[in-house]
Amino acid sequence: MEYTLIKMKVCDPLPKVLQAYNNKPIYLVAATLRPETMYGQTNCWLRPDMDYIVFETKFNEIFVCTYRAALNMSFQKMTVEVGKVVVLATIKGEQILGAALQSPLASYSPIYTLPMLTIKEDKGTGIVTSVPSDSPDDYAALRDLKNKAPLREKYGIKDEMVLPFEPVPIVEVPELGNLSAVYACDRFKIQSQNDRDKLQEAKELVYLKGFYDGVLLVGPHKGKKVQDVKKVIQKEMIEAAQAVIYMEPEKTIISRSG
Ligand code: ZZB
């Protein structure tokens, strides 16, 4: 599986657990399949109870992600020694909640790290960039945080990190409109980020239609089809050192019998 790794720069004031690395640029790195949607980022998701590591790349940058993802990166020659990750620190997601980030192409700056409880440990980097206009999971989770003050309080999230951020229309999808995830969450009557089955259906609908029929509404490739610009936008971000390609081995276990 090929992902685009989006380098989301941590801004001052740095969270306490990252202050020791302030002499180098620090990035939370998010794995995405939709680089063309980066215009619509409103926040970054972390899982509060999950372990993340801090490590240095061979380009003198500090990355934060799961150890599993860092090891994959080291095999892709992103660390000094192939297959080896020098762990500077292990931290919990909750220790970097509420951090301010600058993320490539985003129309909001800064955006903040917020809690999402459904992040999977064995996929991507454990850091997820949020595009509520086009991702039902992101819309449902952002809406939960907006509607539930106790949820914000529980994680020490200030109102101004959540309330001003609205889904940004970035892709027009025939029949689904320019906020396809919002449309899909309404249509499938999704109540919260825990409506897993309905969210899966919603995701399938917007993924397919968005990819084949979606037209970009913003940026230099405005008016072009998503399927024609996805690779171009990925390449532009890589050339601007805002992103890198990240591969993940399929986790099929090959077993032989007989
Ligand atoms: C931005 C984005 C914009 C995404 C969109 C999706 C959509 P898949 O198909 O299941 O592999 N993601 C990445 N890592 C994780 C994780 N560890 N746990 C939970 N979610 C994760 O899904 C890949 C997508 O799931 C990634 O692409 C990321 O969100 C999220 F408009 O990045 B995406 C209809 C989806 N639209």
Side-chain angles (χ1 to χ4, degrees), residues 178-196:
N178 63 15
L179 295 172
S180 57
V182 178
Y183 169 87
C185 284
D186 289 345
R187 171 157 148 194
F188 292 101
K189 301 193 164 45
I190 288 159
Q191 305 291 335
S192 86
Q193 62 188 300
N194 301 318
D195 277 355
R196 301 315 301 162

Side-chain angles (χ1 to χ4, degrees), residues 71-109:
L71 193 58
N72 281 331
M73 289 176 212
S74 79
F75 282 109
Q76 288 153 41
K77 304 192 169 69
M78 288 194 232
T79 53
V80 173
E81 203 180 325
V82 175
K84 188 159 186 228
V85 179
V86 179
V87 178
L88 299 175
T90 302
I91 59 180
K92 291 277 182 213
E94 63 188 357
Q95 293 177 289
I96 49 173
L97 282 176
L101 308 175
Q102 238 173 338
S103 195
L105 305 186
S107 56
Y108 289 110
S109 186

Side-chain angles (χ1 to χ4, degrees), residues 7 25 31 44 54 65 90 114 132 135 145 158 165 229 238 242 244:
K7 292 162 63 179
C44 166
V54 182
C65 62
T90 302
L114 304 176
S135 164
L145 274 174
K158 299 196 182 105
F165 296 88
V229 294
I238 291 170
Q242 296 170 326
V244 284

Side-chain angles (χ1 to χ4, degrees), residues 3-237:
Y3 290 94
T4 307
L5 206 70
I6 305 296
K7 292 162 63 179
M8 310 176 87
K9 191 164 192 295
V10 188
C11 308
D12 287 325
L14 294 176
K16 251 200 207 89
V17 288
L18 297 178
Q19 282 171 4
Y21 318 103
N22 70 353
N23 58 342
K24 300 202 172 97
I26 306 174
Y27 300 96
L28 303 194
V29 285
T32 180
L33 296 173
R34 304 282 312 266
E36 76 285 1
T37 65
M38 295 301 102
Y39 297 101
Q41 295 172 90
T42 56
N43 62 284
C44 166
W45 300 117
L46 301 172
R47 212 175 92 188
D49 63 340
M50 208 159 85
D51 281 334
Y52 294 89
I53 67 151
V54 182
F55 74 103
E56 188 173 342
T57 70
K58 71 174 177 196
F59 308 106
N60 302 312
E61 297 167 322
I62 302 291
F63 277 12
V64 179
C65 62
T66 57
Y67 177 77
R68 194 193 61 84
L71 193 58
N72 281 331
M73 289 176 212
S74 79
F75 282 109
Q76 288 153 41
K77 304 192 169 69
M78 288 194 232
T79 53
V80 173
E81 203 180 325
V82 175
K84 188 159 186 228
V85 179
V86 179
V87 178
L88 299 175
T90 302
I91 59 180
K92 291 277 182 213
E94 63 188 357
Q95 293 177 289
I96 49 173
L97 282 176
L101 308 175
Q102 238 173 338
S103 195
L105 305 186
S107 56
Y108 289 110
S109 186
I111 58 175
Y112 296 91
T113 55
L114 304 176
M116 181 190 251
L117 306 175
T118 55
I119 291 181
K120 297 190 188 81
E121 203 140 17
D122 59 354
K123 183 166 109 181
T125 58
I127 299 203
V128 178
T129 188
S130 169
V131 183
S133 53
D134 292 76
S135 164
D137 285 315
D138 297 344
Y139 178 64
L142 184 62
R143 194 181 51 181
D144 283 351
L145 274 174
K146 281 195 183 207
N147 292 346
K148 299 172 186 168
L151 190 61
R152 299 198 292 277
E153 273 154 34
K154 176 171 178 190
Y155 294 106
I157 300 299
K158 299 196 182 105
D159 291 1
E160 63 264 30
M161 297 173 178
V162 178
L163 302 184
F165 296 88
E166 290 293 330
V168 185
I170 53 167
V171 176
E172 176 77 36
V173 184
E175 290 156 53
L176 309 186
N178 63 15
L179 295 172
S180 57
V182 178
Y183 169 87
C185 284
D186 289 345
R187 171 157 148 194
F188 292 101
K189 301 193 164 45
I190 288 159
Q191 305 291 335
S192 86
Q193 62 188 300
N194 301 318
D195 277 355
R196 301 315 301 162
D197 295 345
K198 287 185 190 171
L199 276 167
Q200 187 58 34
E201 282 185 80
K203 188 168 155 181
E204 278 161 25
L205 175 73
V206 301
Y207 242 134
L208 271 179
K209 279 203 150 276
F211 182 70
Y212 289 108
D213 304 328
V215 173
L216 215 60
L217 295 172
V218 290
H221 304 292
K222 185 175 164 167
K224 294 196 186 138
K225 290 192 109 180
V226 164
Q227 52 176 318
D228 297 332
V229 294
K230 190 187 273 282
K231 275 278 160 192
V232 180
I233 293 177
Q234 180 195 53
K235 187 162 173 272
E236 286 171 354
M237 281 196 281

